[in-house]
Amino acid sequence: MRIILVGFGVVGQSLARILLQRRPELVRSYGFNPKVVAVVDKGGAAVNMRGLDLEEILSLKVKEGTVAASRDGRPDLSALEVIESVEAEVMVEVTPTNIKDGEPGLSHIKSAFRTGKSVVTTNKGPLALALPALTELAEYSGVQLRFSGTVGAGTPILDLAKKCLLGDRIISIRGVLNGTTNYILTEMEEKHISFHQALKDAQRLGYAEANPSMDVDGLDTACKIVIMANWIMGRKVTLKDVKIEGIRNVTREDLEEASRRGRTIRLLGFIDKDLKVAPTEISKGDPLAVKGVLNAVTFTSEFTGEETIIGRGAGGMATASAVLRDLINIKEALSSTL
Amino acid sequence: MRIILVGFGVVGQSLARILLQRRPELVRSYGFNPKVVAVVDKGGAAVNMRGLDLEEILSLKVKEGTVAASRDGRPDLSALEVIESVEAEVMVEVTPTNIKDGEPGLSHIKSAFRTGKSVVTTNKGPLALALPALTELAEYSGVQLRFSGTVGAGTPILDLAKKCLLGDRIISIRGVLNGTTNYILTEMEEKHISFHQALKDAQRLGYAEANPSMDVDGLDTACKIVIMANWIMGRKVTLKDVKIEGIRNVTREDLEEASRRGRTIRLLGFIDKDLKVAPTEISKGDPLAVKGVLNAVTFTSEFTGEETIIGRGAGGMATASAVLRDLINIKEALSSTL
């Protein structure tokens, strides 16, 4: 399988490392033989139709700051030019999330579809803004669109629902989908500190961004709710359909008061009749009352009742392993249509 | 798909109810059109090659105590005779677990394989005693063997590992796999009562059997560990390979002492270098520290780290929904080989 990799930050580099390390086993176990024919970063591209030397590309990225410094380097080529001109079965889109207009990811994905390439992405922006349209476009173009890494990083939250609950009917979903806010709420509760103090600590530790709005205002959780509602429940919704409230107004006193009653507060995303993100009081015994940077999602099904999956919701290697899972699934889907 | 249903207790009857209720949707969503051509219980069998009237069979079971009272009744036929003489694609084996010699389930399964039928079972006995041999036999006969309902009832513990962690490598597994013992330990801890008192309460509430040995001596957990080790990790092991210790020697004092240190005791099954079942001290914040009759399993993978799935580990409808999931999977496997 020929792969174009667009974006070469933490996730992109982790994927390259996993592919290097696991290749013999991937061929043996899944008949999956990945060949990265192009990598694009901000400095340009590297292209080699016989497959790039990933070891060289990884070390150049560290030493020179861009893959364009490779002997296969093409500093002149943009991501769109590479996607349009290089032949490949799959484009992996791992540029940063932008929920204003979804760019540049949105254009990358559309361009891949137009040129007959399946897409694996970890970029929540295009999906949160346009998943119903992108799903239709992929179908129309006869290609696949996968995005396991967008929810729960390596924790297979989307796959659990889609592949493992066959025959049962998922009625509702609720979950802790953002590690940063969960870390802040846990710290506020356990150390009896204010939101602002906990946020500052999280920023110092690298758990929160300098501009923490995506996390603490509930936008990241809302993006994930949109993705799950589309993929798992078949709803055709986008970010504007979600009622969103973040955690800025949760006080130390709120948490202390809840704690006295054996309860705690978590930022939950809900998919029920409506889509909602809000700080919510739950029992400390609820499987969703996870601590620190964990994610946790509870599915309520007609016959099996409630099922919860818990795992780390972040991490380069974890997210890259979700991309790998998607690539294997696309490989299987493509071979079954031959 | 023609189905022979052997065993018509809680799970068998729940399956019949789900099939009745969901048929139109199963055809529409999965192209799955189940036809139960035989049902066997202790009183005999009912056989109709055009498909039994499940509504009639269910109400006869309640009124007359056996399906053999049906107009399609065959009080003269044994389970083995039905399996051998009735044409069908799948035999569903839901008789009670017996870990002494696995019978009668073991003979039912072998007989099904011999006559070219795939098997779905919720019976842990044959699997714990002979899963490596049964897997080979199924392969040799060109049929499928599925048993999702044996671990976690409706909670898709086996499927999560097998289908959702593609491309990653599961290094070890540990989990709370028996709801009865977890209920007893939770009650001992929260109500400060002895093992014997908690066991008596559990028996009164129907959570524990009159003879509680399977649960409290760790045998049920050990069976599940064997099934997971074979199915998920590819190990060829049986019940005799598991080191087993139950919860009879856990005291109220042990739990109180652990609690003072923020910890608790759970009966855990382990798959690591060795297979083991033992009461184990864990942090109260560990996702495995679930309360009451819940099950919880943590998978440790190379790239994604730890992932935990939590759900109810028992219930007729939940277990029957796992059987349905297996039937749909077999249907898909059979059509892909046509």
Side-chain angles (χ1 to χ4, degrees), chain B residues 182-216:
Chain B
N182 208 62
Y183 177 81
I184 291 172
L185 290 171
T186 309
E187 289 287 293
M188 287 173 68
E189 182 177 20
E190 297 191 340
K191 299 193 174 150
H192 303 277
I193 55 178
S194 70
F195 168 75
H196 287 287
Q197 184 60 49
L199 171 59
K200 239 173 29 195
D201 293 351
Q203 285 171 323
R204 208 186 50 237
L205 289 166
Y207 289 155
E209 314 263 333
N211 175 358
S213 178
M214 269 298 279
D215 296 321
V216 302

PDB file of all heavy atoms in Angstrom, chain B residues 182-216:
ATOM      1  N   ASN B 182     -16.992 -10.532  43.088  1.00  0.00           N
ATOM      2  CA  ASN B 182     -16.816  -9.089  43.213  1.00  0.00           C
ATOM      3  C   ASN B 182     -17.911  -8.480  44.084  1.00  0.00           C
ATOM      4  O   ASN B 182     -17.662  -7.580  44.880  1.00  0.00           O
ATOM      5  CB  ASN B 182     -16.803  -8.412  41.840  1.00  0.00           C
ATOM      6  CG  ASN B 182     -15.999  -7.139  41.851  1.00  0.00           C
ATOM      7  OD1 ASN B 182     -14.792  -7.172  42.104  1.00  0.00           O
ATOM      8  ND2 ASN B 182     -16.655  -6.014  41.633  1.00  0.00           N
ATOM      9  N   TYR B 183     -19.121  -9.028  43.952  1.00  0.00           N
ATOM     10  CA  TYR B 183     -20.213  -8.582  44.814  1.00  0.00           C
ATOM     11  C   TYR B 183     -19.888  -8.890  46.276  1.00  0.00           C
ATOM     12  O   TYR B 183     -20.036  -8.034  47.149  1.00  0.00           O
ATOM     13  CB  TYR B 183     -21.516  -9.268  44.393  1.00  0.00           C
ATOM     14  CG  TYR B 183     -22.676  -8.922  45.279  1.00  0.00           C
ATOM     15  CD1 TYR B 183     -23.376  -7.738  45.113  1.00  0.00           C
ATOM     16  CD2 TYR B 183     -23.055  -9.770  46.325  1.00  0.00           C
ATOM     17  CE1 TYR B 183     -24.424  -7.405  45.951  1.00  0.00           C
ATOM     18  CE2 TYR B 183     -24.105  -9.450  47.164  1.00  0.00           C
ATOM     19  CZ  TYR B 183     -24.790  -8.257  46.971  1.00  0.00           C
ATOM     20  OH  TYR B 183     -25.826  -7.926  47.802  1.00  0.00           O
ATOM     21  N   ILE B 184     -19.413 -10.102  46.547  1.00  0.00           N
ATOM     22  CA  ILE B 184     -19.095 -10.505  47.924  1.00  0.00           C
ATOM     23  C   ILE B 184     -18.003  -9.615  48.520  1.00  0.00           C
ATOM     24  O   ILE B 184     -18.139  -9.106  49.637  1.00  0.00           O
ATOM     25  CB  ILE B 184     -18.672 -11.999  47.963  1.00  0.00           C
ATOM     26  CG1 ILE B 184     -19.893 -12.894  47.659  1.00  0.00           C
ATOM     27  CG2 ILE B 184     -18.051 -12.367  49.309  1.00  0.00           C
ATOM     28  CD1 ILE B 184     -19.558 -14.370  47.477  1.00  0.00           C
ATOM     29  N   LEU B 185     -16.942  -9.371  47.751  1.00  0.00           N
ATOM     30  CA  LEU B 185     -15.846  -8.534  48.264  1.00  0.00           C
ATOM     31  C   LEU B 185     -16.320  -7.096  48.499  1.00  0.00           C
ATOM     32  O   LEU B 185     -15.943  -6.465  49.491  1.00  0.00           O
ATOM     33  CB  LEU B 185     -14.662  -8.556  47.291  1.00  0.00           C
ATOM     34  CG  LEU B 185     -13.911  -9.896  47.210  1.00  0.00           C
ATOM     35  CD1 LEU B 185     -12.901  -9.873  46.060  1.00  0.00           C
ATOM     36  CD2 LEU B 185     -13.204 -10.216  48.530  1.00  0.00           C
ATOM     37  N   THR B 186     -17.150  -6.571  47.598  1.00  0.00           N
ATOM     38  CA  THR B 186     -17.676  -5.213  47.770  1.00  0.00           C
ATOM     39  C   THR B 186     -18.525  -5.124  49.032  1.00  0.00           C
ATOM     40  O   THR B 186     -18.396  -4.178  49.821  1.00  0.00           O
ATOM     41  CB  THR B 186     -18.536  -4.799  46.542  1.00  0.00           C
ATOM     42  OG1 THR B 186     -17.806  -5.034  45.341  1.00  0.00           O
ATOM     43  CG2 THR B 186     -18.901  -3.328  46.604  1.00  0.00           C
ATOM     44  N   GLU B 187     -19.381  -6.114  49.252  1.00  0.00           N
ATOM     45  CA  GLU B 187     -20.240  -6.118  50.434  1.00  0.00           C
ATOM     46  C   GLU B 187     -19.423  -6.228  51.718  1.00  0.00           C
ATOM     47  O   GLU B 187     -19.691  -5.542  52.699  1.00  0.00           O
ATOM     48  CB  GLU B 187     -21.241  -7.288  50.347  1.00  0.00           C
ATOM     49  CG  GLU B 187     -22.320  -7.097  49.303  1.00  0.00           C
ATOM     50  CD  GLU B 187     -23.349  -6.053  49.739  1.00  0.00           C
ATOM     51  OE1 GLU B 187     -24.093  -6.303  50.715  1.00  0.00           O
ATOM     52  OE2 GLU B 187     -23.381  -4.993  49.089  1.00  0.00           O
ATOM     53  N   MET B 188     -18.412  -7.108  51.716  1.00  0.00           N
ATOM     54  CA  MET B 188     -17.550  -7.262  52.895  1.00  0.00           C
ATOM     55  C   MET B 188     -16.906  -5.933  53.254  1.00  0.00           C
ATOM     56  O   MET B 188     -16.834  -5.548  54.419  1.00  0.00           O
ATOM     57  CB  MET B 188     -16.446  -8.296  52.612  1.00  0.00           C
ATOM     58  CG  MET B 188     -16.925  -9.739  52.584  1.00  0.00           C
ATOM     59  SD  MET B 188     -15.605 -10.890  52.033  1.00  0.00           S
ATOM     60  CE  MET B 188     -14.452 -10.793  53.431  1.00  0.00           C
ATOM     61  N   GLU B 189     -16.442  -5.206  52.197  1.00  0.00           N
ATOM     62  CA  GLU B 189     -15.748  -3.943  52.416  1.00  0.00           C
ATOM     63  C   GLU B 189     -16.703  -2.860  52.914  1.00  0.00           C
ATOM     64  O   GLU B 189     -16.420  -2.160  53.884  1.00  0.00           O
ATOM     65  CB  GLU B 189     -15.107  -3.510  51.095  1.00  0.00           C
ATOM     66  CG  GLU B 189     -14.306  -2.231  51.208  1.00  0.00           C
ATOM     67  CD  GLU B 189     -13.630  -1.883  49.892  1.00  0.00           C
ATOM     68  OE1 GLU B 189     -14.072  -2.391  48.835  1.00  0.00           O
ATOM     69  OE2 GLU B 189     -12.667  -1.100  49.925  1.00  0.00           O
ATOM     70  N   GLU B 190     -17.856  -2.724  52.235  1.00  0.00           N
ATOM     71  CA  GLU B 190     -18.720  -1.582  52.536  1.00  0.00           C
ATOM     72  C   GLU B 190     -19.551  -1.796  53.785  1.00  0.00           C
ATOM     73  O   GLU B 190     -19.869  -0.844  54.503  1.00  0.00           O
ATOM     74  CB  GLU B 190     -19.622  -1.279  51.328  1.00  0.00           C
ATOM     75  CG  GLU B 190     -18.783  -0.862  50.117  1.00  0.00           C
ATOM     76  CD  GLU B 190     -19.588  -0.287  48.977  1.00  0.00           C
ATOM     77  OE1 GLU B 190     -20.809  -0.535  48.925  1.00  0.00           O
ATOM     78  OE2 GLU B 190     -18.983   0.408  48.134  1.00  0.00           O
ATOM     79  N   LYS B 191     -19.960  -3.070  54.059  1.00  0.00           N
ATOM     80  CA  LYS B 191     -20.805  -3.321  55.224  1.00  0.00           C
ATOM     81  C   LYS B 191     -20.020  -3.903  56.393  1.00  0.00           C
ATOM     82  O   LYS B 191     -20.607  -4.261  57.412  1.00  0.00           O
ATOM     83  CB  LYS B 191     -21.944  -4.264  54.822  1.00  0.00           C
ATOM     84  CG  LYS B 191     -22.838  -3.683  53.734  1.00  0.00           C
ATOM     85  CD  LYS B 191     -24.122  -4.453  53.572  1.00  0.00           C
ATOM     86  CE  LYS B 191     -25.041  -3.750  52.578  1.00  0.00           C
ATOM     87  NZ  LYS B 191     -25.905  -4.716  51.871  1.00  0.00           N
ATOM     88  N   HIS B 192     -18.713  -4.038  56.223  1.00  0.00           N
ATOM     89  CA  HIS B 192     -17.862  -4.588  57.278  1.00  0.00           C
ATOM     90  C   HIS B 192     -18.411  -5.912  57.803  1.00  0.00           C
ATOM     91  O   HIS B 192     -18.627  -6.090  59.000  1.00  0.00           O
ATOM     92  CB  HIS B 192     -17.705  -3.568  58.409  1.00  0.00           C
ATOM     93  CG  HIS B 192     -17.138  -2.266  57.926  1.00  0.00           C
ATOM     94  ND1 HIS B 192     -15.792  -2.037  57.752  1.00  0.00           N
ATOM     95  CD2 HIS B 192     -17.762  -1.129  57.512  1.00  0.00           C
ATOM     96  CE1 HIS B 192     -15.599  -0.829  57.278  1.00  0.00           C
ATOM     97  NE2 HIS B 192     -16.774  -0.249  57.116  1.00  0.00           N
ATOM     98  N   ILE B 193     -18.666  -6.849  56.866  1.00  0.00           N
ATOM     99  CA  ILE B 193     -19.160  -8.163  57.272  1.00  0.00           C
ATOM    100  C   ILE B 193     -18.165  -9.237  56.839  1.00  0.00           C
ATOM    101  O   ILE B 193     -17.256  -8.982  56.054  1.00  0.00           O
ATOM    102  CB  ILE B 193     -20.558  -8.460  56.657  1.00  0.00           C
ATOM    103  CG1 ILE B 193     -20.514  -8.321  55.128  1.00  0.00           C
ATOM    104  CG2 ILE B 193     -21.619  -7.520  57.244  1.00  0.00           C
ATOM    105  CD1 ILE B 193     -21.835  -8.641  54.438  1.00  0.00           C
ATOM    106  N   SER B 194     -18.367 -10.453  57.366  1.00  0.00           N
ATOM    107  CA  SER B 194     -17.446 -11.555  57.063  1.00  0.00           C
ATOM    108  C   SER B 194     -17.747 -12.151  55.695  1.00  0.00           C
ATOM    109  O   SER B 194     -18.820 -11.946  55.122  1.00  0.00           O
ATOM    110  CB  SER B 194     -17.580 -12.648  58.114  1.00  0.00           C
ATOM    111  OG  SER B 194     -18.845 -13.283  57.940  1.00  0.00           O
ATOM    112  N   PHE B 195     -16.795 -12.949  55.179  1.00  0.00           N
ATOM    113  CA  PHE B 195     -17.006 -13.667  53.927  1.00  0.00           C
ATOM    114  C   PHE B 195     -18.288 -14.500  53.997  1.00  0.00           C
ATOM    115  O   PHE B 195     -19.099 -14.490  53.070  1.00  0.00           O
ATOM    116  CB  PHE B 195     -15.791 -14.562  53.634  1.00  0.00           C
ATOM    117  CG  PHE B 195     -16.043 -15.555  52.529  1.00  0.00           C
ATOM    118  CD1 PHE B 195     -16.076 -15.147  51.202  1.00  0.00           C
ATOM    119  CD2 PHE B 195     -16.271 -16.895  52.824  1.00  0.00           C
ATOM    120  CE1 PHE B 195     -16.321 -16.060  50.185  1.00  0.00           C
ATOM    121  CE2 PHE B 195     -16.524 -17.815  51.806  1.00  0.00           C
ATOM    122  CZ  PHE B 195     -16.549 -17.392  50.488  1.00  0.00           C
ATOM    123  N   HIS B 196     -18.463 -15.213  55.127  1.00  0.00           N
ATOM    124  CA  HIS B 196     -19.616 -16.119  55.217  1.00  0.00           C
ATOM    125  C   HIS B 196     -20.941 -15.370  55.205  1.00  0.00           C
ATOM    126  O   HIS B 196     -21.896 -15.798  54.572  1.00  0.00           O
ATOM    127  CB  HIS B 196     -19.484 -17.018  56.446  1.00  0.00           C
ATOM    128  CG  HIS B 196     -18.431 -18.056  56.245  1.00  0.00           C
ATOM    129  ND1 HIS B 196     -18.607 -19.135  55.405  1.00  0.00           N
ATOM    130  CD2 HIS B 196     -17.157 -18.135  56.699  1.00  0.00           C
ATOM    131  CE1 HIS B 196     -17.490 -19.856  55.372  1.00  0.00           C
ATOM    132  NE2 HIS B 196     -16.592 -19.267  56.152  1.00  0.00           N
ATOM    133  N   GLN B 197     -20.976 -14.235  55.885  1.00  0.00           N
ATOM    134  CA  GLN B 197     -22.193 -13.426  55.891  1.00  0.00           C
ATOM    135  C   GLN B 197     -22.490 -12.904  54.477  1.00  0.00           C
ATOM    136  O   GLN B 197     -23.625 -12.987  54.001  1.00  0.00           O
ATOM    137  CB  GLN B 197     -22.015 -12.248  56.865  1.00  0.00           C
ATOM    138  CG  GLN B 197     -23.263 -11.407  57.025  1.00  0.00           C
ATOM    139  CD  GLN B 197     -24.438 -12.237  57.551  1.00  0.00           C
ATOM    140  OE1 GLN B 197     -24.314 -12.969  58.528  1.00  0.00           O
ATOM    141  NE2 GLN B 197     -25.583 -12.162  56.875  1.00  0.00           N
ATOM    142  N   ALA B 198     -21.458 -12.392  53.825  1.00  0.00           N
ATOM    143  CA  ALA B 198     -21.644 -11.825  52.474  1.00  0.00           C
ATOM    144  C   ALA B 198     -22.061 -12.913  51.489  1.00  0.00           C
ATOM    145  O   ALA B 198     -22.916 -12.686  50.618  1.00  0.00           O
ATOM    146  CB  ALA B 198     -20.348 -11.148  52.008  1.00  0.00           C
ATOM    147  N   LEU B 199     -21.485 -14.098  51.635  1.00  0.00           N
ATOM    148  CA  LEU B 199     -21.858 -15.213  50.749  1.00  0.00           C
ATOM    149  C   LEU B 199     -23.330 -15.566  50.950  1.00  0.00           C
ATOM    150  O   LEU B 199     -24.081 -15.762  49.982  1.00  0.00           O
ATOM    151  CB  LEU B 199     -20.968 -16.429  51.029  1.00  0.00           C
ATOM    152  CG  LEU B 199     -21.376 -17.732  50.328  1.00  0.00           C
ATOM    153  CD1 LEU B 199     -21.398 -17.565  48.799  1.00  0.00           C
ATOM    154  CD2 LEU B 199     -20.421 -18.872  50.706  1.00  0.00           C
ATOM    155  N   LYS B 200     -23.744 -15.634  52.227  1.00  0.00           N
ATOM    156  CA  LYS B 200     -25.141 -15.973  52.520  1.00  0.00           C
ATOM    157  C   LYS B 200     -26.088 -14.946  51.894  1.00  0.00           C
ATOM    158  O   LYS B 200     -27.107 -15.302  51.294  1.00  0.00           O
ATOM    159  CB  LYS B 200     -25.360 -16.051  54.036  1.00  0.00           C
ATOM    160  CG  LYS B 200     -25.854 -17.419  54.430  1.00  0.00           C
ATOM    161  CD  LYS B 200     -25.960 -17.728  55.916  1.00  0.00           C
ATOM    162  CE  LYS B 200     -26.222 -16.588  56.859  1.00  0.00           C
ATOM    163  NZ  LYS B 200     -25.950 -16.998  58.254  1.00  0.00           N
ATOM    164  N   ASP B 201     -25.733 -13.661  52.010  1.00  0.00           N
ATOM    165  CA  ASP B 201     -26.556 -12.603  51.399  1.00  0.00           C
ATOM    166  C   ASP B 201     -26.624 -12.776  49.886  1.00  0.00           C
ATOM    167  O   ASP B 201     -27.687 -12.635  49.274  1.00  0.00           O
ATOM    168  CB  ASP B 201     -25.969 -11.215  51.716  1.00  0.00           C
ATOM    169  CG  ASP B 201     -26.079 -10.878  53.202  1.00  0.00           C
ATOM    170  OD1 ASP B 201     -26.755 -11.640  53.932  1.00  0.00           O
ATOM    171  OD2 ASP B 201     -25.478  -9.875  53.615  1.00  0.00           O
ATOM    172  N   ALA B 202     -25.475 -13.067  49.277  1.00  0.00           N
ATOM    173  CA  ALA B 202     -25.418 -13.216  47.819  1.00  0.00           C
ATOM    174  C   ALA B 202     -26.274 -14.402  47.373  1.00  0.00           C
ATOM    175  O   ALA B 202     -26.946 -14.345  46.341  1.00  0.00           O
ATOM    176  CB  ALA B 202     -23.967 -13.394  47.366  1.00  0.00           C
ATOM    177  N   GLN B 203     -26.259 -15.473  48.185  1.00  0.00           N
ATOM    178  CA  GLN B 203     -27.086 -16.642  47.838  1.00  0.00           C
ATOM    179  C   GLN B 203     -28.562 -16.299  47.944  1.00  0.00           C
ATOM    180  O   GLN B 203     -29.364 -16.676  47.095  1.00  0.00           O
ATOM    181  CB  GLN B 203     -26.724 -17.824  48.750  1.00  0.00           C
ATOM    182  CG  GLN B 203     -25.390 -18.456  48.344  1.00  0.00           C
ATOM    183  CD  GLN B 203     -24.876 -19.482  49.341  1.00  0.00           C
ATOM    184  OE1 GLN B 203     -25.030 -19.313  50.552  1.00  0.00           O
ATOM    185  NE2 GLN B 203     -24.242 -20.541  48.827  1.00  0.00           N
ATOM    186  N   ARG B 204     -28.923 -15.527  48.980  1.00  0.00           N
ATOM    187  CA  ARG B 204     -30.321 -15.154  49.156  1.00  0.00           C
ATOM    188  C   ARG B 204     -30.808 -14.305  47.975  1.00  0.00           C
ATOM    189  O   ARG B 204     -31.943 -14.434  47.514  1.00  0.00           O
ATOM    190  CB  ARG B 204     -30.478 -14.380  50.472  1.00  0.00           C
ATOM    191  CG  ARG B 204     -31.861 -14.525  51.098  1.00  0.00           C
ATOM    192  CD  ARG B 204     -32.017 -13.623  52.323  1.00  0.00           C
ATOM    193  NE  ARG B 204     -31.621 -12.261  52.033  1.00  0.00           N
ATOM    194  CZ  ARG B 204     -30.679 -11.583  52.697  1.00  0.00           C
ATOM    195  NH1 ARG B 204     -30.043 -12.138  53.710  1.00  0.00           N
ATOM    196  NH2 ARG B 204     -30.378 -10.337  52.350  1.00  0.00           N
ATOM    197  N   LEU B 205     -29.918 -13.447  47.453  1.00  0.00           N
ATOM    198  CA  LEU B 205     -30.288 -12.559  46.349  1.00  0.00           C
ATOM    199  C   LEU B 205     -30.165 -13.233  44.985  1.00  0.00           C
ATOM    200  O   LEU B 205     -30.442 -12.619  43.960  1.00  0.00           O
ATOM    201  CB  LEU B 205     -29.390 -11.316  46.360  1.00  0.00           C
ATOM    202  CG  LEU B 205     -29.656 -10.335  47.502  1.00  0.00           C
ATOM    203  CD1 LEU B 205     -28.511  -9.337  47.616  1.00  0.00           C
ATOM    204  CD2 LEU B 205     -30.973  -9.604  47.266  1.00  0.00           C
ATOM    205  N   GLY B 206     -29.719 -14.502  44.967  1.00  0.00           N
ATOM    206  CA  GLY B 206     -29.587 -15.205  43.691  1.00  0.00           C
ATOM    207  C   GLY B 206     -28.312 -14.870  42.937  1.00  0.00           C
ATOM    208  O   GLY B 206     -28.136 -15.277  41.796  1.00  0.00           O
ATOM    209  N   TYR B 207     -27.378 -14.125  43.548  1.00  0.00           N
ATOM    210  CA  TYR B 207     -26.100 -13.834  42.885  1.00  0.00           C
ATOM    211  C   TYR B 207     -25.125 -15.002  43.006  1.00  0.00           C
ATOM    212  O   TYR B 207     -24.176 -15.115  42.237  1.00  0.00           O
ATOM    213  CB  TYR B 207     -25.429 -12.589  43.486  1.00  0.00           C
ATOM    214  CG  TYR B 207     -26.119 -11.290  43.149  1.00  0.00           C
ATOM    215  CD1 TYR B 207     -25.992 -10.178  43.977  1.00  0.00           C
ATOM    216  CD2 TYR B 207     -26.874 -11.162  41.983  1.00  0.00           C
ATOM    217  CE1 TYR B 207     -26.611  -8.982  43.674  1.00  0.00           C
ATOM    218  CE2 TYR B 207     -27.501  -9.969  41.681  1.00  0.00           C
ATOM    219  CZ  TYR B 207     -27.365  -8.883  42.528  1.00  0.00           C
ATOM    220  OH  TYR B 207     -27.970  -7.694  42.229  1.00  0.00           O
ATOM    221  N   ALA B 208     -25.316 -15.860  44.043  1.00  0.00           N
ATOM    222  CA  ALA B 208     -24.418 -17.009  44.222  1.00  0.00           C
ATOM    223  C   ALA B 208     -25.247 -18.286  44.234  1.00  0.00           C
ATOM    224  O   ALA B 208     -26.396 -18.295  44.672  1.00  0.00           O
ATOM    225  CB  ALA B 208     -23.632 -16.866  45.519  1.00  0.00           C
ATOM    226  N   GLU B 209     -24.658 -19.371  43.743  1.00  0.00           N
ATOM    227  CA  GLU B 209     -25.341 -20.668  43.711  1.00  0.00           C
ATOM    228  C   GLU B 209     -25.326 -21.301  45.106  1.00  0.00           C
ATOM    229  O   GLU B 209     -24.521 -20.932  45.962  1.00  0.00           O
ATOM    230  CB  GLU B 209     -24.594 -21.624  42.767  1.00  0.00           C
ATOM    231  CG  GLU B 209     -24.202 -21.042  41.450  1.00  0.00           C
ATOM    232  CD  GLU B 209     -25.196 -21.384  40.351  1.00  0.00           C
ATOM    233  OE1 GLU B 209     -25.858 -22.429  40.455  1.00  0.00           O
ATOM    234  OE2 GLU B 209     -25.318 -20.588  39.410  1.00  0.00           O
ATOM    235  N   ALA B 210     -26.210 -22.315  45.294  1.00  0.00           N
ATOM    236  CA  ALA B 210     -26.193 -23.085  46.537  1.00  0.00           C
ATOM    237  C   ALA B 210     -24.796 -23.673  46.746  1.00  0.00           C
ATOM    238  O   ALA B 210     -24.228 -23.610  47.833  1.00  0.00           O
ATOM    239  CB  ALA B 210     -27.246 -24.189  46.470  1.00  0.00           C
ATOM    240  N   ASN B 211     -24.226 -24.241  45.673  1.00  0.00           N
ATOM    241  CA  ASN B 211     -22.830 -24.663  45.739  1.00  0.00           C
ATOM    242  C   ASN B 211     -21.981 -23.592  45.059  1.00  0.00           C
ATOM    243  O   ASN B 211     -21.902 -23.528  43.837  1.00  0.00           O
ATOM    244  CB  ASN B 211     -22.656 -26.007  45.024  1.00  0.00           C
ATOM    245  CG  ASN B 211     -21.176 -26.407  44.970  1.00  0.00           C
ATOM    246  OD1 ASN B 211     -20.292 -25.670  45.420  1.00  0.00           O
ATOM    247  ND2 ASN B 211     -20.918 -27.576  44.404  1.00  0.00           N
ATOM    248  N   PRO B 212     -21.334 -22.739  45.853  1.00  0.00           N
ATOM    249  CA  PRO B 212     -20.695 -21.540  45.280  1.00  0.00           C
ATOM    250  C   PRO B 212     -19.267 -21.773  44.815  1.00  0.00           C
ATOM    251  O   PRO B 212     -18.571 -20.824  44.476  1.00  0.00           O
ATOM    252  CB  PRO B 212     -20.706 -20.576  46.462  1.00  0.00           C
ATOM    253  CG  PRO B 212     -20.520 -21.469  47.650  1.00  0.00           C
ATOM    254  CD  PRO B 212     -21.167 -22.798  47.316  1.00  0.00           C
ATOM    255  N   SER B 213     -18.836 -23.021  44.768  1.00  0.00           N
ATOM    256  CA  SER B 213     -17.416 -23.302  44.539  1.00  0.00           C
ATOM    257  C   SER B 213     -16.890 -22.720  43.216  1.00  0.00           C
ATOM    258  O   SER B 213     -15.812 -22.119  43.190  1.00  0.00           O
ATOM    259  CB  SER B 213     -17.173 -24.809  44.580  1.00  0.00           C
ATOM    260  OG  SER B 213     -15.824 -25.063  44.307  1.00  0.00           O
ATOM    261  N   MET B 214     -17.647 -22.897  42.119  1.00  0.00           N
ATOM    262  CA  MET B 214     -17.204 -22.368  40.827  1.00  0.00           C
ATOM    263  C   MET B 214     -16.785 -20.903  40.949  1.00  0.00           C
ATOM    264  O   MET B 214     -15.776 -20.476  40.395  1.00  0.00           O
ATOM    265  CB  MET B 214     -18.337 -22.447  39.790  1.00  0.00           C
ATOM    266  CG  MET B 214     -18.420 -23.705  38.954  1.00  0.00           C
ATOM    267  SD  MET B 214     -16.980 -24.014  37.907  1.00  0.00           S
ATOM    268  CE  MET B 214     -17.317 -22.931  36.500  1.00  0.00           C
ATOM    269  N   ASP B 215     -17.588 -20.124  41.659  1.00  0.00           N
ATOM    270  CA  ASP B 215     -17.301 -18.699  41.804  1.00  0.00           C
ATOM    271  C   ASP B 215     -16.213 -18.429  42.843  1.00  0.00           C
ATOM    272  O   ASP B 215     -15.150 -17.922  42.515  1.00  0.00           O
ATOM    273  CB  ASP B 215     -18.585 -17.942  42.181  1.00  0.00           C
ATOM    274  CG  ASP B 215     -19.641 -18.015  41.086  1.00  0.00           C
ATOM    275  OD1 ASP B 215     -19.259 -17.942  39.901  1.00  0.00           O
ATOM    276  OD2 ASP B 215     -20.833 -18.148  41.400  1.00  0.00           O
ATOM    277  N   VAL B 216     -16.491 -18.790  44.110  1.00  0.00           N
ATOM    278  CA  VAL B 216     -15.615 -18.319  45.193  1.00  0.00           C
ATOM    279  C   VAL B 216     -14.262 -19.009  45.207  1.00  0.00           C
ATOM    280  O   VAL B 216     -13.295 -18.481  45.760  1.00  0.00           O
ATOM    281  CB  VAL B 216     -16.296 -18.419  46.583  1.00  0.00           C
ATOM    282  CG1 VAL B 216     -17.589 -17.613  46.593  1.00  0.00           C
ATOM    283  CG2 VAL B 216     -16.511 -19.856  47.003  1.00  0.00           C
TER     284      VAL B 216
END
